[in-house]
Amino acid sequence: MTEEWLARRYQENKHRPDDKRSPYQKDRSRIIHAAAFRRLQAKTQIMGIGVNDFYRTRLTHSLEVAQIASGILGQLRANPSNASFSACLPCRSLIETLSLAHDIGHPPFGHGGETALNYMMRAHGGFEGNAQTLRIVAKLEPYSKGYGMNLTRRTLLGFIKYPQLIKSLWKIPHDDGTDKFINSTRWLPAKGLYCEESAVFDWVLAPLSDTDKSIFTSFAENANGVARTQYKSLDCAIMELADDIAYGVHDLEDAIATGMVSQHQWHEFVANHLSELEDGWLKTNLPRISAQLFSRDEADLKEVIGELVNLFITQAKVKKLGVFDSPLLDHSVYLEKELFILLEGLKQFVFRNVIRHPEMQQIEFKGQKIISDLFAAFASDPLRLLPHTRQTIYQAALENGETGYRQLCDYISSMTDEYAIKVHGRLFTTEY
């Protein structure tokens, strides 16, 4: 890649004698040593922390995404038919950096916490987990003053899953203030970036042609009137496919191992969703795969989970879009129809039978209430209730002409599940 994609926003002058690492290896190191990355060990993936002793946290999920993404990259590089565009494929350090950090912007209590923060920020630019990720790596993490981890331009491009500002995408629902609780469907966040990161966004896109910028940031409304962006970089697409595989397959493993789903539910899913699969290896092997998933032998479950992950990794392909000048944007990854149907089906199976399970939704609702309570409390008297370090940040924002709400949001979204419960107890529970 050209030097402009290796550039950093802040010119560093560090004393690192004999440091032979590549720029992307340095980016990966900065992620691994970041406080925001460490906090993933105590943030919810699907099951709440402590609900069961066999669960995946945001940290273990991110490690799995990194392993899968690395596997996809290895397969793509090993395929001779990809030689014509191998030069635009990311290196292993870059794809691992994106995978390890892709969830660091997500708040406590999963999507319930995300929805609660979006509601509390409805008049102040909204909240979205991926937008928060960019804000952390490019601004908040105290590796440098005001530039976050000061990552390379290409790395920052890979973090941008939705390349448009939220203000251009979100039709804010009417709110008369009479609802006692937050409707989780009505206040789902728009998928975009904060206005506060517009300067970072412009800097990242600077090497692109005006035509590429226009197409890359374009968006369209779906049947429900929700505006969504349509493109992402090749690096981001590889990471997102790995994320989908980890979510669909490894979270299915959690659901089976903890008894959240039954064999009957699985067979019903196979009959209703996968019946459209054409005859082939996958359809022929589904009975065996189904039997192994629910075998009493844990080794059978592990074996078939590994087989499914390997299937998706080895069958990932690169396609040329033919709409961009930049090869970083004009290539993407995909799965053939049969495997795409399977992966989407697995994700829907987990969503319907685990995430939407009443027990999980009740836990998510409780977390949502904790987040909204904390936000309301801190917003009522921030220079009294915030920790001293956060008071300083809040005061600086006010002096800079900002409202301070984004800084409150930064603080609450950075909390782990357990810490949020602890702070909530200190503020609202008499038994604390």
Side-chain angles (χ1 to χ4, degrees), residues 415-430:
M415 295 179 177
T416 63
D417 297 30
E418 184 178 357
Y419 184 67
I421 293 171
K422 181 178 180 180
V423 175
H424 188 271
R426 188 186 302 143
L427 289 170
F428 294 101
T429 306
T430 57

Side-chain angles (χ1 to χ4, degrees), residues 4-12 30 134-135 137-140 144-153 156 196-204:
E4 57 194 359
W5 289 108
L6 295 174
R8 302 181 190 275
R9 292 178 67 221
Y10 172 71
Q11 187 63 43
E12 298 178 353
R30 294 177 190 189
L134 181 66
R135 180 169 170 82
V137 300
K139 186 177 291 184
L140 299 183
S144 65
K145 191 170 183 178
Y147 296 93
M149 301 181 198
N150 198 31
L151 304 177
T152 59
R153 180 184 263 120
L156 292 179
E196 289 89 341
E197 272 59 70
S198 58
V200 176
F201 188 37
D202 290 343
W203 181 83
V204 171

